[in-house]
Amino acid sequence: DQQVKQNSPSLSVQEGRISILNCDYTNSMFDYFLWYKKYPAEGPTFLISISSIKDKNEDGRFTVFLNKSAKHLSLHIVPSQPGDSAVYFCAASASGTYKYIFGTGTRLKVLA
Amino acid sequence: DAGVIQSPRHEVTEMGQEVTLRCKPISGHNSLFWYRQTMMRGLELLIYFNNNVPIDDSGMPEDRFSAKMPNASFSTLKIQPSEPRDSAVYFCASSGLVGLYNEQFFGPGTRLTVL
């Protein structure tokens, strides 16, 4: 049973446009959410996070939006750059736990 | 800091053989995680150590898998005997204070192929 779902295995976007990556979760106990980015032959690296007390968190070109009622979060990348081409994993965690539950990832390809 | 170090980076073995994957966490981190990445299930947590003690091994697929952390700077994940369905990328990650939403730092992974 996948508690964190990334329903789009892949996404292609033109350079300069917005990339929107989506993630849904089922466990209402989750209150902290993260995005990790993974390049080939490397481990995932932390990109951005959001706590459930917020509905938006911004870091440069990256913004994460959280819709608690819909149990949905999204990562926006504006403007997209070829170097953003990678696999993006969404992860969720609950207070007082150590576990991050990861989704299956979305492969983003930014076309020059 | 060198980050989380894993070895080997690639392992090809035959079914039935023993495989040992190694991990050196970031110095000062007291939590260590072993994950497995597959296309179907994404990143799955196999086992979590805190202060060298296994806290949760509920993600370990079966008895063929075992993990140890003899000291704060070294951990192993062993598969014996290995099977083709164990083929995946195995990641080790470490973090500082758990429960305070500290970032997990991942190693580069070991790509395991069991023939």
Side-chain angles (χ1 to χ4, degrees), chain B residues 72-92:
Chain B
S73 58
F74 184 65
S75 177
T76 59
L77 177 68
K78 186 178 293 187
I79 308 172
Q80 165 65 14
S82 57
E83 297 182 2
R85 60 190 167 123
D86 301 330
S87 298
V89 181
Y90 291 80
F91 290 101
C92 175

Side-chain angles (χ1 to χ4, degrees), chain A residues 51-71:
Chain A
S51 162
S52 61
I53 61 173
K54 294 184 172 182
D55 53 20
K56 176 182 172 181
N57 189 27
E58 209 169 335
D59 183 2
R61 297 185 297 113
F62 302 90
T63 302
V64 56
F65 295 92
L66 176 62
N67 182 333
K68 289 184 288 292
S69 60
K71 294 191 177 67

Side-chain angles (χ1 to χ4, degrees), chain B:
Chain B
D1 195 330
V4 176
I5 298 172
Q6 290 187 249
S7 64
R9 293 296 307 275
H10 302 273
E11 178 79 37
V12 180
T13 190
E14 293 190 345
M15 183 174 65
Q17 296 296 306
E18 177 180 298
V19 174
T20 300
L21 312 181
R22 296 171 176 79
C23 174
K24 177 178 167 49
I26 292 173
S27 176
H29 282 184
N30 64 346
S31 294
L32 184 137
F33 307 83
W34 281 101
Y35 288 90
R36 178 171 66 176
Q37 183 194 1
T38 62
M39 290 293 290
M40 291 301 294
R41 302 177 67 89
L43 278 166
E44 296 177 276
L45 178 65
L46 300 177
I47 187 167
Y48 157 60
F49 290 89
N50 183 246
N51 292 325
N52 312 338
V53 176
I55 302 300
D56 182 356
D57 64 355
S58 60
M60 296 286 261
E62 47 198 273
D63 292 346
R64 297 185 298 106
F65 285 69
S66 63
K68 293 182 180 179
M69 192 165 184
N71 57 62
S73 58
F74 184 65
S75 177
T76 59
L77 177 68
K78 186 178 293 187
I79 308 172
Q80 165 65 14
S82 57
E83 297 182 2
R85 60 190 167 123
D86 301 330
S87 298
V89 181
Y90 291 80
F91 290 101
C92 175
S94 70
S95 72
L97 292 173
V98 174
L100 294 179
Y101 303 138
N102 270 20
E103 177 188 343
Q104 292 182 19
F105 293 83
F106 283 77
T110 295
R111 181 174 293 278
L112 174 64
T113 303
V114 183
L115 303 173

Side-chain angles (χ1 to χ4, degrees), chain A residues 7-47:
Chain A
N7 292 318
S8 299
S10 63
L11 174 68
S12 290
V13 171
Q14 284 294 134
E15 181 179 7
R17 299 291 186 102
I18 184 170
S19 295
I20 300 177
L21 293 87
N22 293 304
C23 179
D24 296 294
Y25 62 96
T26 58
N27 189 338
S28 57
M29 298 299 291
F30 289 149
D31 58 2
Y32 186 66
F33 305 89
L34 312 91
W35 286 93
Y36 274 75
K37 177 179 178 178
K38 184 185 176 307
Y39 291 119
E42 295 182 12
T45 55
F46 171 76
L47 183 60

Side-chain angles (χ1 to χ4, degrees), chain A residues 53-111:
Chain A
I53 61 173
K54 294 184 172 182
D55 53 20
K56 176 182 172 181
N57 189 27
E58 209 169 335
D59 183 2
R61 297 185 297 113
F62 302 90
T63 302
V64 56
F65 295 92
L66 176 62
N67 182 333
K68 289 184 288 292
S69 60
K71 294 191 177 67
H72 177 84
L73 63 155
S74 60
L75 174 68
H76 292 211
I77 307 173
V78 183
S80 301
Q81 299 174 353
D84 297 329
S85 297
V87 176
Y88 290 79
F89 289 98
C90 170
S93 181
S95 295
T97 70
Y98 53 85
K99 257 185 187 175
Y100 290 166
I101 307 298
F102 283 86
T104 51
T106 296
R107 182 177 300 277
L108 173 66
K109 188 178 290 186
V110 180
L111 307 169

